[in-house]
Amino acid sequence: MVRIYINDQEYDVPAGTTILCAAKKAGIRIPTLCFVEGLRPIGACRVCVVEVEGVRNLVASCSTPVAEDMRIHTHTARVRRARRAVVELLLSEHNGECQTCERNGQCELQSLAAELGIREVSYRGEKARKRIDISTPALQRDSGKCIKCRRCVSVCNEMQHVGALFPQFRGYQTIIGPALGRDLASVPCVQCGQCAAICPVGAISERDHVEAVWAALDTPENHVVVQTAPAIRAALGECFGYPPGTLVTGKMVAALRRLGFDAVFDTNFAADLTIMEEGTEFLMRLRKAYVEGQQDVLPMFTSCSPGWVQYLEFFHHNLLPNLSTCRSPQQMFGAIAKTYYAKKLDKRPEDIFVVSVMPCTAKKFEASRAEMNASGVRDVDAVLTTRELARMIRIAGIDFQSLPDEEMDAPLGLCTGAGVIFGHTGGVMEAALRTVYEVLTGEDLPTPTLLATLDGIKEAEITLKNVRPEWSFLEGVTLRVAVAHGLGNAEKLIRAIEAGERQYHFVEVMACPGGCIGGGGQPRFTDNRVRLARIAAIRKEDAGKPLRKSHQNPQVKQLYEEFLGEPLSERSHKLLHTHYIAREPV
Amino acid sequence: MPDDAKPAGVFSAPCACQEVSEEDRYAQLDDILRTYRNIPGALIPVLQITQTIFGYLPEKALRKIAAALNKPLSEVTGVVTFYSFFNTIPRGRHMIRVCLGTACYVRGGKQVLAALKEELGIDVGETTADRNFSLDVGRCFGACGLAPVIMIDDDVHQRVKVSQLPRLLEQYRDKQDTTSKT
Ligand code: SF4
Ligand code: SF4
Ligand code: SF4
Ligand code: FES
């Protein structure tokens, strides 16, 4: 322990604590801008400066550890002046209008200016050059609004191990972005949107699909259906004043109906369908490995996270054959809605307009992939992030808090608990094992093996006993599985696998930390506390479901009976599976 | 590499020689990359060597370097554009450097620079479209008594007046065919 004094009050804090952290524990708020808990301090903005007795210059509290007998002053006149100077300088260069900005009302630069009581900007600097980058289907970047805090650089490099963003040029010319200040599409960016989620201002956000959805809803001939991913119900409430972790499934359905969607469906239905296909594919790969000796078909990697899929497409071409051929639930839903469901309504695929609500920006990219037209037309027409849906609800004047709870529509709205847990890290694996284990042994999966924690890499083993006769070659086999979230963790796992240090049968990867509940399209701001709260909400929804295994979903069963035949059938193959592209990384 | 360190050895070939072909340069780069592939901290040395090979850092070379050193292209270009001694634009046949040391600066160096920019239509660090001239600034060439000073290639020009500049540049334009490649 170290004895320190903050604003003349005595505190004992653990050695190695930063001044910022010590002050926070003491109930003193020091403003920050570039600092993000959980990431290495960047030290770029100097908003967090404090005065330390005996030290001539002000020090950045986010990156300075405490020392014995340190006397710290957090809000002296000198400190206040320095912070104001920093923020006024940022404002003088900032090229944006709050009134028309996506971040209006929830912008960290705005609230910082308010917190510091800035009433005028005494510098008259040149404005940052405004350049809008809409080169990718997922993200919009506006260099004029960038305050060069470099959070996105940390996230893209450290957390995601992609490295699409980096400071370019120097001094006043500095821009934060892809190589040579070019467009995002010129570098390998997986479009996960974690940069958009962490950006304090309106410099990175999702490509807007709101207008396209309004237009579809306003066209009477369209039959507009909406699917919502599991992670939405666990986070949408945050946009309407509920604390993180509030489950708002019923109100969300009610809001979607009031927005005018003709049918409100659940991506979880397609998640159950995914488990049927992916579980069967896994069993097929096990057979190939154990009976036909084709060891290299294992491990199988999950394929529902489009950021992860593109990560392999860019950086690990040799692993593409190990990626499950299953489309993601979003795309399975689109294909089924425009074929099976359309037929039920006696409509053509092109008469159905499919909107998804996703926690994810990469889903916009996924929906735009050339091969995603199994129904003959684009399978998913528009993808809204959680944030965009919240915006639409507000624009429509819907008072979210006072909505009743409503139920999803049939037939694509029913799901089991297994479909729900797709929303958090480890969930797809758990859902798959619930079904696979039962198929193999006829019994329930012994207690959930993969806990919904935020450990970067989780592993589990299940030994198969009393397997059914047709699977006898698996008797006594110990299935080894692993789960990683955040592409940095995925990269670590891949390296361990490629070095032969680790061997698995099945690996789940989600590009975003925490899985979909921490996606790049979720309400800002997402930290680990928020992630855990959203995971708890998802677990609650799972626990409340009468059916908790995908193969029990009666509507999925019906879909197979009436339309698909069986998993991996020819029709399934056409509608529910896909192939991948090796992309040049530079 | 400092501006005035002309790579005399490796590539300013004896007069009988042809210009080193693009292919040869890339072959050389490949050799370098094989050597440096697994050496930590190799980026800056590799960039310096590459600049010696090509005279500047072509984008294609940067892509190769990024791939070989297993670094994102954005990081590589981030480093290249941070340091002023790296150049991503090919150098012109003639390098003009304007002294902006104190003496030159106060005695008209600034105006000379502005006039050169205007005359050539380029900014500091850039090269004219016909690849005749590149423009750069320097910090005192040791001829303060005769300020303002500019250097064109290895020639020092003293007491330069803005009005003389077009004629001065013309002399070099004429010489272009006989100048050795750098
Ligand atoms: S980024 Fe923030 S400060 Fe800038 S225009 Fe948008 S809301 Fe205003
Ligand atoms: S979307 Fe993901 S990969 Fe692309 S720049 Fe942002 S953080 Fe990096
Ligand atoms: S884009 Fe956003 S996160 Fe990145 S440096 Fe600019 S302001 Fe910061
Ligand atoms: S928050 Fe400490 S330097 Fe930015």
Side-chain angles (χ1 to χ4, degrees):
Chain A
M1 284 305 222
V2 176
R3 162 84 30 104
I4 59 165
Y5 302 83
I6 307 180
N7 303 339
D8 300 320
Q9 292 274 329
E10 196 177 301
Y11 300 96
D12 287 323
V13 299
T17 316
T18 60
I19 297 176
L20 178 68
C21 190
K24 192 175 170 192
K25 284 209 189 95
I28 298 162
R29 190 187 137 77
I30 299 176
T32 56
L33 196 50
C34 64
F35 178 76
V36 179
E37 222 172 293
L39 290 177
R40 226 173 334 133
I42 305 163
C45 75
R46 295 195 58 84
V47 165
C48 68
V49 288
V50 294
E51 211 168 336
V52 173
E53 284 182 29
V55 178
R56 203 156 56 110
N57 294 329
L58 299 178
V59 305
S61 63
C62 69
S63 49
T64 311
V66 293
E68 186 67 36
D69 263 341
M70 200 181 234
R71 284 159 203 272
I72 301 152
H73 300 277
T74 61
H75 286 79
T76 59
R78 185 175 165 215
V79 166
R80 295 200 308 269
R81 256 199 316 277
R83 284 184 195 146
R84 278 178 75 122
V86 166
V87 176
E88 283 187 39
L89 213 54
L90 288 176
L91 291 173
S92 75
E93 292 176 3
H94 190 64
N95 192 349
E97 290 87 39
C98 295
Q99 296 89 331
T100 52
C101 181
E102 183 240 344
R103 294 303 289 269
N104 191 5
Q106 36 119 20
C107 165
E108 292 184 43
L109 182 61
Q110 257 184 354
S111 44
L112 192 58
E115 181 178 344
L116 300 185
I118 294 174
R119 285 291 168 272
E120 61 183 322
V121 176
S122 33
Y123 302 96
R124 208 143 303 288
E126 211 178 305
K127 292 278 177 202
R129 200 161 71 92
K130 191 177 192 72
R131 194 164 152 271
I132 308 282
D133 172 4
I134 47 167
S135 62
T136 63
L139 295 165
Q140 161 153 351
R141 297 168 57 251
D142 179 346
S143 62
K145 288 178 186 164
C146 173
I147 55 172
K148 299 170 193 176
C149 70
R150 307 185 181 201
R151 283 186 188 177
C152 56
V153 175
S154 294
V155 162
C156 188
N157 286 269
E158 283 173 43
M159 197 161 91
Q160 297 299 64
H161 197 266
V162 172
L165 307 174
F166 211 81
Q168 309 287 320
F169 308 102
R170 67 181 299 167
Y172 180 73
Q173 310 281 342
T174 306
I175 21 180
I176 310 297
L180 302 169
R182 297 219 186 106
D183 285 343
L184 203 49
S186 72
V187 292
C189 152
V190 303
Q191 306 185 35
C192 65
Q194 285 300 313
C195 52
I198 204 92
C199 181
V201 293
I204 316 183
S205 50
E206 62 274 60
R207 289 284 298 277
D208 185 293
H209 284 194
V210 169
E211 285 312 314
V213 174
W214 285 131
L217 289 170
D218 290 338
T219 309
E221 309 83 72
N222 277 346
H223 183 81
V224 188
V225 305
V226 63
Q227 56 164 326
T228 60
I232 313 299
R233 63 207 69 183
L236 181 64
E238 292 164 38
C239 301
F240 298 99
Y242 291 98
T246 311
L247 204 53
V248 294
T249 321
K251 289 190 195 309
M252 174 185 76
V253 173
L256 290 167
R257 269 208 193 99
R258 279 154 189 70
L259 282 172
F261 288 101
D262 296 303
V264 180
F265 291 142
D266 206 338
T267 311
N268 300 4
F269 168 85
D272 281 333
L273 183 59
T274 304
I275 290 301
M276 297 307 290
E277 294 291 326
E278 197 163 345
T280 310
E281 180 186 352
F282 179 52
L283 290 170
M284 189 196 73
R285 284 184 189 241
L286 284 176
R287 189 182 288 278
K288 274 195 180 149
Y290 282 86
V291 180
E292 294 159 34
Q294 293 183 42
Q295 294 298 337
D296 56 356
V297 298
L298 296 175
M300 182 172 89
F301 291 104
T302 57
S303 58
C304 27
S305 166
W308 156 243
V309 166
Q310 216 187 2
Y311 186 80
L312 287 189
E313 289 185 320
F314 274 130
F315 304 113
H316 295 282
H317 297 172
N318 59 323
L319 294 179
L320 289 175
N322 294 70
L323 200 49
S324 161
T325 58
C326 287
R327 290 163 172 241
S328 73
Q330 156 170 285
Q331 295 304 138
M332 286 200 185
F333 179 93
I336 293 298
K338 293 204 175 185
T339 54
Y340 171 70
Y341 174 71
K343 225 184 228 165
K344 276 188 183 292
L345 297 186
D346 209 13
K347 284 185 183 293
R348 297 169 307 162
E350 50 270 44
D351 301 329
I352 311 268
F353 192 93
V354 174
V355 176
S356 343
V357 186
M358 294 285 142
C360 178
T361 55
K363 290 281 169 193
K364 293 186 191 253
F365 156 75
E366 184 184 61
S368 77
R369 291 178 66 124
E371 65 276 17
M372 293 300 172
N373 60 350
S375 62
V377 292
R378 201 112 290 275
D379 295 327
V380 172
D381 297 283
V383 181
L384 300 170
T385 61
T386 317
R387 299 187 291 257
E388 285 176 287
L389 174 60
R391 205 185 312 153
M392 288 186 74
I393 293 172
R394 253 183 240 114
I395 293 172
I398 296 166
D399 177 7
F400 192 79
Q401 292 222 4
S402 63
L403 287 171
D405 285 341
E406 294 183 5
E407 297 278 332
M408 306 248 184
D409 291 313
L412 310 181
L414 185 79
C415 75
T416 70
V420 178
I421 58 175
F422 261 62
H424 68 70
T425 167
V428 177
M429 179 62 73
E430 188 176 331
L433 291 179
R434 282 182 193 174
T435 287
V436 166
Y437 193 85
E438 190 168 312
V439 169
L440 289 175
T441 66
E443 279 168 36
D444 277 349
L445 180 68
T447 44
T449 35
L450 286 153
L451 297 171
T453 67
L454 286 179
D455 296 333
I457 297 173
K458 291 165 276 190
E459 296 173 305
E461 292 187 347
I462 305 138
T463 304
L464 298 169
K465 281 197 216 84
N466 303 324
V467 294
R468 289 183 162 155
E470 63 266 44
W471 301 103
S472 58
F473 62 91
L474 290 173
E475 181 66 35
V477 167
T478 299
L479 291 183
R480 280 186 305 274
V481 301
V483 169
H485 58 121
L487 293 171
N489 291 321
E491 178 65 27
K492 277 187 212 143
L493 192 61
I494 290 172
R495 286 187 188 170
I497 292 171
E498 293 199 321
E501 293 156 16
R502 283 280 187 282
Q503 277 160 345
Y504 303 107
H505 293 86
F506 194 2
V507 177
E508 176 206 293
V509 178
M510 294 292 152
C512 293
C516 310
I517 52 94
Q522 289 283 59
R524 298 171 175 111
F525 185 86
T526 303
D527 57 13
N528 276 349
R529 189 184 57 86
V530 174
R531 288 187 187 103
L532 286 170
R534 290 179 190 156
I535 290 175
I538 296 260
R539 298 305 298 190
K540 194 170 128 202
E541 175 121 325
D542 169 40
K545 290 276 178 193
L547 301 174
R548 298 184 63 198
K549 293 172 223 152
S550 297
H551 57 278
Q552 297 169 326
N553 185 328
Q555 287 177 344
V556 169
K557 280 188 202 158
Q558 198 184 342
L559 169 65
Y560 277 109
E561 275 158 23
E562 290 177 6
F563 187 64
L564 292 173
E566 55 190 49
L568 304 188
S569 72
E570 206 183 309
R571 190 172 262 168
S572 293
H573 223 92
K574 178 170 173 284
L575 295 177
L576 308 181
H577 290 257
T578 187
H579 58 273
Y580 305 106
I581 304 160
R583 298 171 197 265
E584 272 311 306
V586 282
Chain B
M1 189 180 69
D3 292 325
D4 48 355
K6 280 207 174 170
V10 205
F11 299 107
S12 61
C15 37
C17 243
Q18 303 292 322
E19 190 185 351
V20 185
S21 78
E22 189 84 345
E23 261 163 68
D24 289 347
R25 292 181 211 248
Y26 278 106
Q28 215 148 12
L29 175 60
D30 288 339
D31 276 346
I32 298 295
L33 290 176
R34 262 191 294 280
T35 318
Y36 280 86
R37 182 149 295 187
N38 294 314
I39 301 177
L43 181 57
I44 296 211
V46 166
L47 289 171
Q48 282 170 319
I49 297 168
T50 310
Q51 183 152 297
T52 325
I53 297 177
F54 292 90
Y56 72 110
L57 293 168
E59 189 173 329
K60 189 173 153 199
L62 293 178
R63 287 177 184 275
K64 271 178 173 284
I65 292 169
L69 301 186
N70 218 340
K71 285 187 183 301
L73 180 65
S74 298
E75 182 177 343
V76 172
T77 61
V79 169
V80 167
T81 54
F82 184 83
Y83 293 107
S84 53
F85 49 79
F86 289 128
N87 221 322
T88 54
I89 310 163
R91 284 287 177 84
R93 281 175 283 268
H94 303 289
M95 184 60 174
I96 306 176
R97 282 179 301 132
V98 180
C99 179
L100 287 184
T102 319
C104 287
Y105 189 83
V106 298
R107 285 160 70 179
K110 197 178 157 206
Q111 286 82 336
V112 169
L113 179 62
L116 278 168
K117 284 188 193 172
E118 173 85 33
E119 176 78 22
L120 299 170
I122 56 173
D123 215 328
V124 172
E126 294 181 350
T127 299
T128 54
D130 61 7
R131 294 203 41 196
N132 248 320
F133 296 106
S134 293
L135 184 59
D136 212 340
V137 292
R139 289 257 164 259
C140 195
F141 306 150
C144 308
L146 300 165
V149 175
I150 71 172
M151 276 184 82
I152 303 183
D153 302 333
D154 289 332
D155 313 332
V156 178
H157 299 272
Q158 299 156 339
R159 288 204 175 121
V160 178
K161 292 203 184 65
V162 168
S163 60
Q164 301 169 337
L165 288 173
R167 213 158 22 113
L168 196 56
L169 294 180
E170 213 42 52
Q171 293 170 16
Y172 286 86
R173 274 204 187 100
D174 289 340
K175 279 202 289 180
Q176 76 177 57
D177 291 337
T178 58
T179 329
S180 67
K181 306 280 196 301
T182 53

